[in-house]
Amino acid sequence: MKLIQNYIDGRFVSGAREFADVNPADGNIIAQVTEADSTQVDEAVRAARRALSGEWGGLPVREQAARLHRVADAIEKRFDGFVQAEVADTGKPVSLASKLDVPRAAANFRVFADLVKLSGLESFQTQTPNGTSALNYAIRKPLGVVGIITPWNLPLLLLTWKVAPALACGNTVVVKPSEETPATATLLAEAMQDAGIPNGAYNVVHGFGPASAGEFLTQHSDVNAITFTGESRTGAAIMKAAAPTVKPVSFELGGKNAAIVFADCDFEETLKGLCDAVFLNTGQVCLCAERVYVERRIFPAFVDALKRNAEHLNAGWPTDEKTDFGPLISAQHREKVLSYFQLAKKEGATLVTGGGVPDFGDDRDHGFYVQPTIYTGLSESARCVKEEIFGPVCHIAPFDSEEEAVAMANDTKYGLAASIWTSDLKRGHRVAQQMNVGITWVNCWFLRDLRTPFGGVGLSGIGREGGMHSLNFYSELNNICIRL
Ligand code: NAD
Ligand code: 6OH
């Protein structure tokens, strides 16, 4: 059986305890994973600290950037290996991992390597009222050792989204990937070695959250900052753990995202866009739309069309190129999603399609599939309309006026993303500007430019990453004032 190890100070290391890595498509164990104990987390943090004042910290920015480009090269060289590992761990379709996850991992390194080389900093000529002159300029310094904790839905994409800017700013990192999807973080260590990233700059500790590697990292007194993507509840626990040592935190958390579909939209394009927004990655993308509001005039036609599209999704084996719909990540997560299907019934929903578990008659029946599911008819206060389900499911409600749609979309404690679908561009701008979220798409969804601010409001997070926002989080500014 394959063993996925921790990576500490440039070495792959095992430990006293192991846990199983399960393929969500058929429930088979595909590897054993070393769980890092507190001593190993401590070793990883110490190695990161040494590299900070050692080989990595000593490299000029242009050389650090060159090596990060080499990490991207190494990912591309091992493209198939990364795709296979991601598909086996997550159950996502191979077409999705090859189009989205692995290319984005390489792009994350390239973008931040370039950005850090090209970005400057502000300076001010100062004149005080009594005639004294001074020059103020700021310099960037690394935060230090950055703890990175990531979820299972886009494991490599979300890990590299944080590792790349952290290293680009001269930090060293200790990453704790999700226990559900450990493989690509360890594979990335091989790419780091290929690229000449010095020992200790990138460390991986595997394990769980509470009383395991996650908590050991967030509580560690020598970790200088925590960046986390995952559930809002976990964010709250991490904030508490990080509080005694006053660590800066950056949080990308959950969502209960709305899509607003106006009757003047391009029907076919909207349908295609919404089918992705609801069902991509089996609905396990923080940006997915679980609340769809459709102008009443086209409501019946739209519900029918989305139902047809949902029923055409091909829930095949993830390794099959024709598959476009995989399983959920785990038995436990499927229990959660199915419990919301039960709750929807209790809350009086009308089931449009799905609502259960498919029957394949082969080994996929031991996997964690559910059907693409659509509901209508719930009240806006129903728990299924308020709580993040994180599965291939949406509730569609009709609206009569723009004001009503905006009010319903904004009636949530979350605030990650929204999408607006209309051919009236003025309306697109107007509605987009009223969304209480961090990211609004008009006539598209999950269309990314890595220079733009990314993050959420309310329960959806703290801070923004992306472009200069990432550089600002992953560095400390020292303003220097010189009297002239
Ligand atoms: P999760 O919060 O359960 O786990 C995320 C990570 O945190 C895992 O590595 C886990 O081991 C670790 N963890 C759990 N408890 C911890 C603790 N007490 N201390 C330290 N670490 C701990 O999230 P998940 O189930 O893996 O991912 C799904 C969630 O992530 C959804 O809510 C989704 O919306 C959110 N998400 C948000 C974004 C975003 O950009 N806003 C992106 C992807 C996923
Ligand atoms: C959440 O599941 C998706 C997050 C996406 C990003 O962080 C990104 O940079 O595209």
Side-chain angles (χ1 to χ4, degrees), residues 324-369:
D324 50 22
F325 187 83
L328 292 170
I329 188 68
S330 64
Q332 193 191 3
H333 188 52
R334 180 163 74 170
E335 280 313 301
K336 174 183 158 181
V337 171
L338 291 176
S339 78
Y340 276 100
F341 290 180
Q342 289 307 315
L343 181 64
K345 249 192 232 166
K346 262 199 232 142
E347 291 186 311
T350 303
L351 177 66
V352 175
T353 187
V357 171
D359 185 6
F360 295 107
D362 61 30
D363 282 348
R364 280 171 295 170
D365 292 335
H366 304 298
F368 315 126
Y369 288 82

mmCIF file of all heavy atoms in Angstrom, residues 324-369:
data_model
loop_
_atom_site.group_PDB
_atom_site.id
_atom_site.type_symbol
_atom_site.label_atom_id
_atom_site.label_comp_id
_atom_site.label_asym_id
_atom_site.label_seq_id
_atom_site.Cartn_x
_atom_site.Cartn_y
_atom_site.Cartn_z
ATOM 1 N N ASP A 324 -18.831 13.902 -16.306
ATOM 2 C CA ASP A 324 -18.813 15.308 -15.880
ATOM 3 C C ASP A 324 -19.433 15.503 -14.498
ATOM 4 O O ASP A 324 -19.695 16.626 -14.074
ATOM 5 C CB ASP A 324 -19.457 16.232 -16.919
ATOM 6 C CG ASP A 324 -20.815 15.752 -17.385
ATOM 7 O OD1 ASP A 324 -21.454 14.979 -16.643
ATOM 8 O OD2 ASP A 324 -21.215 16.147 -18.494
ATOM 9 N N PHE A 325 -19.643 14.413 -13.772
ATOM 10 C CA PHE A 325 -20.244 14.532 -12.438
ATOM 11 C C PHE A 325 -19.711 13.397 -11.559
ATOM 12 O O PHE A 325 -19.951 12.224 -11.843
ATOM 13 C CB PHE A 325 -21.769 14.448 -12.582
ATOM 14 C CG PHE A 325 -22.520 14.721 -11.318
ATOM 15 C CD1 PHE A 325 -22.794 16.021 -10.924
ATOM 16 C CD2 PHE A 325 -22.962 13.679 -10.514
ATOM 17 C CE1 PHE A 325 -23.491 16.277 -9.754
ATOM 18 C CE2 PHE A 325 -23.660 13.931 -9.343
ATOM 19 C CZ PHE A 325 -23.927 15.226 -8.963
ATOM 20 N N GLY A 326 -18.978 13.751 -10.527
ATOM 21 C CA GLY A 326 -18.361 12.726 -9.672
ATOM 22 C C GLY A 326 -19.109 12.553 -8.364
ATOM 23 O O GLY A 326 -20.182 13.128 -8.152
ATOM 24 N N PRO A 327 -18.533 11.770 -7.452
ATOM 25 C CA PRO A 327 -19.138 11.566 -6.136
ATOM 26 C C PRO A 327 -18.871 12.754 -5.214
ATOM 27 O O PRO A 327 -18.054 13.623 -5.532
ATOM 28 C CB PRO A 327 -18.393 10.338 -5.617
ATOM 29 C CG PRO A 327 -17.055 10.428 -6.275
ATOM 30 C CD PRO A 327 -17.277 11.028 -7.628
ATOM 31 N N LEU A 328 -19.513 12.759 -4.055
ATOM 32 C CA LEU A 328 -19.127 13.674 -2.983
ATOM 33 C C LEU A 328 -17.831 13.152 -2.368
ATOM 34 O O LEU A 328 -17.400 12.034 -2.655
ATOM 35 C CB LEU A 328 -20.236 13.755 -1.936
ATOM 36 C CG LEU A 328 -21.528 14.435 -2.410
ATOM 37 C CD1 LEU A 328 -22.643 14.239 -1.389
ATOM 38 C CD2 LEU A 328 -21.316 15.920 -2.674
ATOM 39 N N ILE A 329 -17.232 13.932 -1.491
ATOM 40 C CA ILE A 329 -15.887 13.609 -1.020
ATOM 41 C C ILE A 329 -15.847 12.403 -0.079
ATOM 42 O O ILE A 329 -14.872 11.650 -0.074
ATOM 43 C CB ILE A 329 -15.244 14.830 -0.327
ATOM 44 C CG1 ILE A 329 -13.768 14.584 -0.012
ATOM 45 C CG2 ILE A 329 -15.970 15.213 0.950
ATOM 46 C CD1 ILE A 329 -12.884 14.485 -1.201
ATOM 47 N N SER A 330 -16.889 12.200 0.734
ATOM 48 C CA SER A 330 -16.788 11.156 1.770
ATOM 49 C C SER A 330 -18.172 10.669 2.167
ATOM 50 O O SER A 330 -19.190 11.333 1.896
ATOM 51 C CB SER A 330 -16.093 11.724 3.016
ATOM 52 O OG SER A 330 -16.881 12.757 3.572
ATOM 53 N N ALA A 331 -18.195 9.532 2.857
ATOM 54 C CA ALA A 331 -19.452 8.988 3.371
ATOM 55 C C ALA A 331 -20.075 9.992 4.336
ATOM 56 O O ALA A 331 -21.285 10.244 4.310
ATOM 57 C CB ALA A 331 -19.172 7.669 4.086
ATOM 58 N N GLN A 332 -19.218 10.599 5.155
ATOM 59 C CA GLN A 332 -19.706 11.542 6.165
ATOM 60 C C GLN A 332 -20.338 12.774 5.502
ATOM 61 O O GLN A 332 -21.406 13.237 5.898
ATOM 62 C CB GLN A 332 -18.525 11.944 7.042
ATOM 63 C CG GLN A 332 -18.918 12.655 8.296
ATOM 64 C CD GLN A 332 -17.688 13.264 8.967
ATOM 65 O OE1 GLN A 332 -16.556 13.194 8.440
ATOM 66 N NE2 GLN A 332 -17.890 13.855 10.113
ATOM 67 N N HIS A 333 -19.659 13.277 4.448
ATOM 68 C CA HIS A 333 -20.217 14.455 3.770
ATOM 69 C C HIS A 333 -21.514 14.078 3.052
ATOM 70 O O HIS A 333 -22.459 14.864 3.009
ATOM 71 C CB HIS A 333 -19.197 15.053 2.798
ATOM 72 C CG HIS A 333 -19.648 16.368 2.228
ATOM 73 N ND1 HIS A 333 -20.071 17.420 3.007
ATOM 74 C CD2 HIS A 333 -19.786 16.785 0.943
ATOM 75 C CE1 HIS A 333 -20.435 18.429 2.244
ATOM 76 N NE2 HIS A 333 -20.280 18.075 0.986
ATOM 77 N N ARG A 334 -21.570 12.840 2.510
ATOM 78 C CA ARG A 334 -22.817 12.426 1.864
ATOM 79 C C ARG A 334 -23.961 12.362 2.883
ATOM 80 O O ARG A 334 -25.079 12.762 2.592
ATOM 81 C CB ARG A 334 -22.663 11.078 1.159
ATOM 82 C CG ARG A 334 -23.983 10.685 0.492
ATOM 83 C CD ARG A 334 -23.844 9.625 -0.537
ATOM 84 N NE ARG A 334 -23.615 8.315 0.050
ATOM 85 C CZ ARG A 334 -23.645 7.185 -0.641
ATOM 86 N NH1 ARG A 334 -23.866 7.215 -1.952
ATOM 87 N NH2 ARG A 334 -23.424 6.041 -0.052
ATOM 88 N N GLU A 335 -23.652 11.883 4.104
ATOM 89 C CA GLU A 335 -24.680 11.877 5.154
ATOM 90 C C GLU A 335 -25.235 13.278 5.377
ATOM 91 O O GLU A 335 -26.434 13.482 5.519
ATOM 92 C CB GLU A 335 -24.089 11.370 6.488
ATOM 93 C CG GLU A 335 -23.981 9.866 6.584
ATOM 94 C CD GLU A 335 -25.256 9.180 6.143
ATOM 95 O OE1 GLU A 335 -26.307 9.454 6.751
ATOM 96 O OE2 GLU A 335 -25.211 8.389 5.168
ATOM 97 N N LYS A 336 -24.300 14.253 5.396
ATOM 98 C CA LYS A 336 -24.720 15.645 5.637
ATOM 99 C C LYS A 336 -25.630 16.123 4.500
ATOM 100 O O LYS A 336 -26.702 16.684 4.732
ATOM 101 C CB LYS A 336 -23.480 16.543 5.756
ATOM 102 C CG LYS A 336 -23.836 18.009 5.862
ATOM 103 C CD LYS A 336 -22.614 18.924 5.902
ATOM 104 C CE LYS A 336 -23.011 20.328 5.465
ATOM 105 N NZ LYS A 336 -21.920 21.274 5.435
ATOM 106 N N VAL A 337 -25.206 15.873 3.250
ATOM 107 C CA VAL A 337 -25.990 16.348 2.105
ATOM 108 C C VAL A 337 -27.354 15.652 2.091
ATOM 109 O O VAL A 337 -28.397 16.296 1.895
ATOM 110 C CB VAL A 337 -25.201 16.125 0.790
ATOM 111 C CG1 VAL A 337 -26.074 16.396 -0.422
ATOM 112 C CG2 VAL A 337 -23.955 17.017 0.770
ATOM 113 N N LEU A 338 -27.368 14.347 2.350
ATOM 114 C CA LEU A 338 -28.646 13.610 2.351
ATOM 115 C C LEU A 338 -29.556 14.089 3.484
ATOM 116 O O LEU A 338 -30.782 14.102 3.349
ATOM 117 C CB LEU A 338 -28.401 12.098 2.454
ATOM 118 C CG LEU A 338 -27.764 11.448 1.213
ATOM 119 C CD1 LEU A 338 -27.475 9.964 1.463
ATOM 120 C CD2 LEU A 338 -28.655 11.612 -0.026
ATOM 121 N N SER A 339 -28.944 14.507 4.591
ATOM 122 C CA SER A 339 -29.772 15.003 5.697
ATOM 123 C C SER A 339 -30.475 16.300 5.268
ATOM 124 O O SER A 339 -31.610 16.564 5.686
ATOM 125 C CB SER A 339 -28.955 15.187 6.977
ATOM 126 O OG SER A 339 -28.200 16.374 6.904
ATOM 127 N N TYR A 340 -29.825 17.098 4.414
ATOM 128 C CA TYR A 340 -30.494 18.301 3.895
ATOM 129 C C TYR A 340 -31.591 17.918 2.895
ATOM 130 O O TYR A 340 -32.607 18.605 2.806
ATOM 131 C CB TYR A 340 -29.488 19.267 3.262
ATOM 132 C CG TYR A 340 -28.837 20.153 4.299
ATOM 133 C CD1 TYR A 340 -27.553 19.876 4.784
ATOM 134 C CD2 TYR A 340 -29.506 21.254 4.817
ATOM 135 C CE1 TYR A 340 -26.967 20.677 5.753
ATOM 136 C CE2 TYR A 340 -28.924 22.062 5.787
ATOM 137 C CZ TYR A 340 -27.651 21.769 6.250
ATOM 138 O OH TYR A 340 -27.082 22.565 7.213
ATOM 139 N N PHE A 341 -31.399 16.821 2.153
ATOM 140 C CA PHE A 341 -32.466 16.373 1.250
ATOM 141 C C PHE A 341 -33.711 15.988 2.080
ATOM 142 O O PHE A 341 -34.841 16.298 1.723
ATOM 143 C CB PHE A 341 -32.005 15.175 0.399
ATOM 144 C CG PHE A 341 -30.967 15.503 -0.665
ATOM 145 C CD1 PHE A 341 -30.473 14.496 -1.501
ATOM 146 C CD2 PHE A 341 -30.499 16.795 -0.852
ATOM 147 C CE1 PHE A 341 -29.528 14.774 -2.494
ATOM 148 C CE2 PHE A 341 -29.548 17.081 -1.836
ATOM 149 C CZ PHE A 341 -29.058 16.073 -2.654
ATOM 150 N N GLN A 342 -33.482 15.317 3.211
ATOM 151 C CA GLN A 342 -34.596 14.961 4.110
ATOM 152 C C GLN A 342 -35.251 16.223 4.665
ATOM 153 O O GLN A 342 -36.483 16.337 4.715
ATOM 154 C CB GLN A 342 -34.076 14.120 5.295
ATOM 155 C CG GLN A 342 -33.654 12.712 4.945
ATOM 156 C CD GLN A 342 -34.753 11.964 4.211
ATOM 157 O OE1 GLN A 342 -35.911 12.018 4.602
ATOM 158 N NE2 GLN A 342 -34.396 11.302 3.113
ATOM 159 N N LEU A 343 -34.384 17.157 5.075
ATOM 160 C CA LEU A 343 -34.885 18.397 5.668
ATOM 161 C C LEU A 343 -35.724 19.182 4.649
ATOM 162 O O LEU A 343 -36.773 19.739 4.995
ATOM 163 C CB LEU A 343 -33.693 19.248 6.150
ATOM 164 C CG LEU A 343 -34.031 20.565 6.815
ATOM 165 C CD1 LEU A 343 -34.801 20.341 8.120
ATOM 166 C CD2 LEU A 343 -32.752 21.373 7.111
ATOM 167 N N ALA A 344 -35.272 19.202 3.397
ATOM 168 C CA ALA A 344 -36.018 19.935 2.357
ATOM 169 C C ALA A 344 -37.446 19.399 2.280
ATOM 170 O O ALA A 344 -38.412 20.153 2.183
ATOM 171 C CB ALA A 344 -35.302 19.802 1.013
ATOM 172 N N LYS A 345 -37.564 18.065 2.341
ATOM 173 C CA LYS A 345 -38.891 17.435 2.314
ATOM 174 C C LYS A 345 -39.729 17.949 3.477
ATOM 175 O O LYS A 345 -40.869 18.374 3.319
ATOM 176 C CB LYS A 345 -38.716 15.910 2.493
ATOM 177 C CG LYS A 345 -39.044 15.098 1.255
ATOM 178 C CD LYS A 345 -39.122 13.631 1.645
ATOM 179 C CE LYS A 345 -38.225 12.810 0.723
ATOM 180 N NZ LYS A 345 -37.965 11.469 1.198
ATOM 181 N N LYS A 346 -39.116 17.886 4.679
ATOM 182 C CA LYS A 346 -39.827 18.314 5.895
ATOM 183 C C LYS A 346 -40.229 19.771 5.828
ATOM 184 O O LYS A 346 -41.266 20.174 6.339
ATOM 185 C CB LYS A 346 -38.909 18.123 7.110
ATOM 186 C CG LYS A 346 -39.166 16.850 7.859
ATOM 187 C CD LYS A 346 -38.587 16.935 9.261
ATOM 188 C CE LYS A 346 -37.702 15.729 9.505
ATOM 189 N NZ LYS A 346 -36.514 15.972 10.257
ATOM 190 N N GLU A 347 -39.369 20.572 5.176
ATOM 191 C CA GLU A 347 -39.651 22.011 5.106
ATOM 192 C C GLU A 347 -40.660 22.337 4.008
ATOM 193 O O GLU A 347 -40.980 23.487 3.777
ATOM 194 C CB GLU A 347 -38.339 22.790 4.901
ATOM 195 C CG GLU A 347 -37.436 22.748 6.127
ATOM 196 C CD GLU A 347 -36.185 23.634 6.011
ATOM 197 O OE1 GLU A 347 -35.487 23.557 4.977
ATOM 198 O OE2 GLU A 347 -35.910 24.398 6.954
ATOM 199 N N GLY A 348 -41.121 21.293 3.288
ATOM 200 C CA GLY A 348 -42.202 21.489 2.322
ATOM 201 C C GLY A 348 -41.748 21.787 0.896
ATOM 202 O O GLY A 348 -42.514 22.342 0.107
ATOM 203 N N ALA A 349 -40.510 21.420 0.555
ATOM 204 C CA ALA A 349 -40.006 21.705 -0.802
ATOM 205 C C ALA A 349 -40.703 20.834 -1.840
ATOM 206 O O ALA A 349 -41.157 19.723 -1.535
ATOM 207 C CB ALA A 349 -38.506 21.439 -0.842
ATOM 208 N N THR A 350 -40.768 21.345 -3.063
ATOM 209 C CA THR A 350 -41.170 20.520 -4.199
ATOM 210 C C THR A 350 -39.890 20.008 -4.856
ATOM 211 O O THR A 350 -39.015 20.801 -5.217
ATOM 212 C CB THR A 350 -41.940 21.375 -5.236
ATOM 213 O OG1 THR A 350 -43.051 21.953 -4.568
ATOM 214 C CG2 THR A 350 -42.396 20.553 -6.417
ATOM 215 N N LEU A 351 -39.795 18.686 -4.989
ATOM 216 C CA LEU A 351 -38.591 18.110 -5.603
ATOM 217 C C LEU A 351 -38.749 18.156 -7.125
ATOM 218 O O LEU A 351 -39.697 17.597 -7.673
ATOM 219 C CB LEU A 351 -38.436 16.661 -5.123
ATOM 220 C CG LEU A 351 -37.269 15.880 -5.728
ATOM 221 C CD1 LEU A 351 -35.938 16.471 -5.295
ATOM 222 C CD2 LEU A 351 -37.341 14.407 -5.322
ATOM 223 N N VAL A 352 -37.818 18.832 -7.795
ATOM 224 C CA VAL A 352 -37.879 18.932 -9.263
ATOM 225 C C VAL A 352 -37.144 17.750 -9.891
ATOM 226 O O VAL A 352 -37.609 17.132 -10.839
ATOM 227 C CB VAL A 352 -37.266 20.272 -9.746
ATOM 228 C CG1 VAL A 352 -37.216 20.344 -11.264
ATOM 229 C CG2 VAL A 352 -38.031 21.446 -9.168
ATOM 230 N N THR A 353 -35.981 17.449 -9.329
ATOM 231 C CA THR A 353 -35.226 16.274 -9.798
ATOM 232 C C THR A 353 -34.244 15.838 -8.726
ATOM 233 O O THR A 353 -33.851 16.643 -7.873
ATOM 234 C CB THR A 353 -34.476 16.561 -11.122
ATOM 235 O OG1 THR A 353 -33.904 15.341 -11.596
ATOM 236 C CG2 THR A 353 -33.356 17.575 -10.948
ATOM 237 N N GLY A 354 -33.856 14.585 -8.758
ATOM 238 C CA GLY A 354 -32.811 14.076 -7.849
ATOM 239 C C GLY A 354 -33.360 13.749 -6.471
ATOM 240 O O GLY A 354 -34.395 13.125 -6.336
ATOM 241 N N GLY A 355 -32.603 14.175 -5.451
ATOM 242 C CA GLY A 355 -33.052 13.993 -4.067
ATOM 243 C C GLY A 355 -32.621 12.678 -3.453
ATOM 244 O O GLY A 355 -33.010 12.345 -2.336
ATOM 245 N N GLY A 356 -31.813 11.902 -4.174
ATOM 246 C CA GLY A 356 -31.433 10.604 -3.610
ATOM 247 C C GLY A 356 -30.055 10.161 -4.072
ATOM 248 O O GLY A 356 -29.221 10.970 -4.475
ATOM 249 N N VAL A 357 -29.881 8.851 -4.027
ATOM 250 C CA VAL A 357 -28.590 8.240 -4.361
ATOM 251 C C VAL A 357 -28.789 7.414 -5.637
ATOM 252 O O VAL A 357 -29.746 6.650 -5.724
ATOM 253 C CB VAL A 357 -28.150 7.334 -3.192
ATOM 254 C CG1 VAL A 357 -26.944 6.499 -3.556
ATOM 255 C CG2 VAL A 357 -27.874 8.173 -1.952
ATOM 256 N N PRO A 358 -27.914 7.560 -6.632
ATOM 257 C CA PRO A 358 -28.094 6.772 -7.859
ATOM 258 C C PRO A 358 -27.762 5.300 -7.621
ATOM 259 O O PRO A 358 -27.028 4.967 -6.687
ATOM 260 C CB PRO A 358 -27.079 7.391 -8.831
ATOM 261 C CG PRO A 358 -26.068 8.063 -7.969
ATOM 262 C CD PRO A 358 -26.732 8.429 -6.686
ATOM 263 N N ASP A 359 -28.312 4.460 -8.467
ATOM 264 C CA ASP A 359 -28.044 3.021 -8.355
ATOM 265 C C ASP A 359 -27.300 2.612 -9.620
ATOM 266 O O ASP A 359 -27.865 2.642 -10.708
ATOM 267 C CB ASP A 359 -29.398 2.297 -8.246
ATOM 268 C CG ASP A 359 -29.195 0.812 -8.009
ATOM 269 O OD1 ASP A 359 -28.039 0.392 -7.816
ATOM 270 O OD2 ASP A 359 -30.214 0.081 -8.022
ATOM 271 N N PHE A 360 -26.030 2.249 -9.503
ATOM 272 C CA PHE A 360 -25.212 1.965 -10.679
ATOM 273 C C PHE A 360 -25.156 0.472 -11.011
ATOM 274 O O PHE A 360 -24.911 0.085 -12.137
ATOM 275 C CB PHE A 360 -23.776 2.465 -10.468
ATOM 276 C CG PHE A 360 -23.655 3.955 -10.328
ATOM 277 C CD1 PHE A 360 -23.389 4.541 -9.101
ATOM 278 C CD2 PHE A 360 -23.792 4.773 -11.441
ATOM 279 C CE1 PHE A 360 -23.258 5.913 -8.979
ATOM 280 C CE2 PHE A 360 -23.662 6.151 -11.329
ATOM 281 C CZ PHE A 360 -23.395 6.718 -10.086
ATOM 282 N N GLY A 361 -25.257 -0.358 -9.979
ATOM 283 C CA GLY A 361 -25.075 -1.785 -10.195
ATOM 284 C C GLY A 361 -23.622 -2.179 -10.387
ATOM 285 O O GLY A 361 -23.322 -3.252 -10.936
ATOM 286 N N ASP A 362 -22.697 -1.297 -9.980
ATOM 287 C CA ASP A 362 -21.269 -1.671 -9.995
ATOM 288 C C ASP A 362 -20.601 -1.065 -8.752
ATOM 289 O O ASP A 362 -21.298 -0.618 -7.834
ATOM 290 C CB ASP A 362 -20.582 -1.262 -11.308
ATOM 291 C CG ASP A 362 -20.618 0.242 -11.560
ATOM 292 O OD1 ASP A 362 -20.634 0.999 -10.569
ATOM 293 O OD2 ASP A 362 -20.633 0.664 -12.731
ATOM 294 N N ASP A 363 -19.253 -1.033 -8.751
ATOM 295 C CA ASP A 363 -18.537 -0.608 -7.533
ATOM 296 C C ASP A 363 -18.788 0.844 -7.139
ATOM 297 O O ASP A 363 -18.476 1.250 -6.011
ATOM 298 C CB ASP A 363 -17.030 -0.842 -7.702
ATOM 299 C CG ASP A 363 -16.681 -2.312 -7.496
ATOM 300 O OD1 ASP A 363 -17.567 -3.058 -7.015
ATOM 301 O OD2 ASP A 363 -15.547 -2.704 -7.821
ATOM 302 N N ARG A 364 -19.348 1.639 -8.083
ATOM 303 C CA ARG A 364 -19.670 3.018 -7.701
ATOM 304 C C ARG A 364 -20.733 3.056 -6.602
ATOM 305 O O ARG A 364 -20.863 4.057 -5.902
ATOM 306 C CB ARG A 364 -20.163 3.810 -8.931
ATOM 307 C CG ARG A 364 -19.030 4.291 -9.835
ATOM 308 C CD ARG A 364 -19.567 4.861 -11.111
ATOM 309 N NE ARG A 364 -20.230 3.817 -11.899
ATOM 310 C CZ ARG A 364 -20.957 4.043 -12.984
ATOM 311 N NH1 ARG A 364 -21.128 5.268 -13.409
ATOM 312 N NH2 ARG A 364 -21.497 3.043 -13.654
ATOM 313 N N ASP A 365 -21.476 1.961 -6.448
ATOM 314 C CA ASP A 365 -22.467 1.915 -5.364
ATOM 315 C C ASP A 365 -21.796 1.919 -3.988
ATOM 316 O O ASP A 365 -22.454 2.181 -2.979
ATOM 317 C CB ASP A 365 -23.377 0.675 -5.508
ATOM 318 C CG ASP A 365 -24.277 0.802 -6.730
ATOM 319 O OD1 ASP A 365 -24.549 1.954 -7.141
ATOM 320 O OD2 ASP A 365 -24.677 -0.236 -7.288
ATOM 321 N N HIS A 366 -20.482 1.629 -3.944
ATOM 322 C CA HIS A 366 -19.739 1.738 -2.665
ATOM 323 C C HIS A 366 -19.107 3.119 -2.524
ATOM 324 O O HIS A 366 -18.421 3.402 -1.556
ATOM 325 C CB HIS A 366 -18.646 0.669 -2.579
ATOM 326 C CG HIS A 366 -19.175 -0.718 -2.758
ATOM 327 N ND1 HIS A 366 -20.087 -1.275 -1.883
ATOM 328 C CD2 HIS A 366 -18.959 -1.640 -3.723
ATOM 329 C CE1 HIS A 366 -20.391 -2.488 -2.300
ATOM 330 N NE2 HIS A 366 -19.727 -2.732 -3.428
ATOM 331 N N GLY A 367 -19.266 3.951 -3.558
ATOM 332 C CA GLY A 367 -18.748 5.321 -3.501
ATOM 333 C C GLY A 367 -19.790 6.253 -2.893
ATOM 334 O O GLY A 367 -20.780 5.799 -2.316
ATOM 335 N N PHE A 368 -19.552 7.556 -3.048
ATOM 336 C CA PHE A 368 -20.362 8.520 -2.289
ATOM 337 C C PHE A 368 -21.172 9.444 -3.200
ATOM 338 O O PHE A 368 -21.266 10.647 -2.962
ATOM 339 C CB PHE A 368 -19.450 9.310 -1.336
ATOM 340 C CG PHE A 368 -18.478 8.426 -0.589
ATOM 341 C CD1 PHE A 368 -17.108 8.675 -0.610
ATOM 342 C CD2 PHE A 368 -18.943 7.316 0.115
ATOM 343 C CE1 PHE A 368 -16.222 7.848 0.063
ATOM 344 C CE2 PHE A 368 -18.067 6.479 0.798
ATOM 345 C CZ PHE A 368 -16.701 6.734 0.763
ATOM 346 N N TYR A 369 -21.727 8.860 -4.253
ATOM 347 C CA TYR A 369 -22.508 9.652 -5.206
ATOM 348 C C TYR A 369 -23.867 10.061 -4.626
ATOM 349 O O TYR A 369 -24.452 9.333 -3.818
ATOM 350 C CB TYR A 369 -22.762 8.840 -6.480
ATOM 351 C CG TYR A 369 -21.539 8.637 -7.358
ATOM 352 C CD1 TYR A 369 -20.610 7.633 -7.078
ATOM 353 C CD2 TYR A 369 -21.324 9.446 -8.476
ATOM 354 C CE1 TYR A 369 -19.497 7.442 -7.885
ATOM 355 C CE2 TYR A 369 -20.217 9.256 -9.291
ATOM 356 C CZ TYR A 369 -19.306 8.253 -8.994
ATOM 357 O OH TYR A 369 -18.210 8.061 -9.794
#
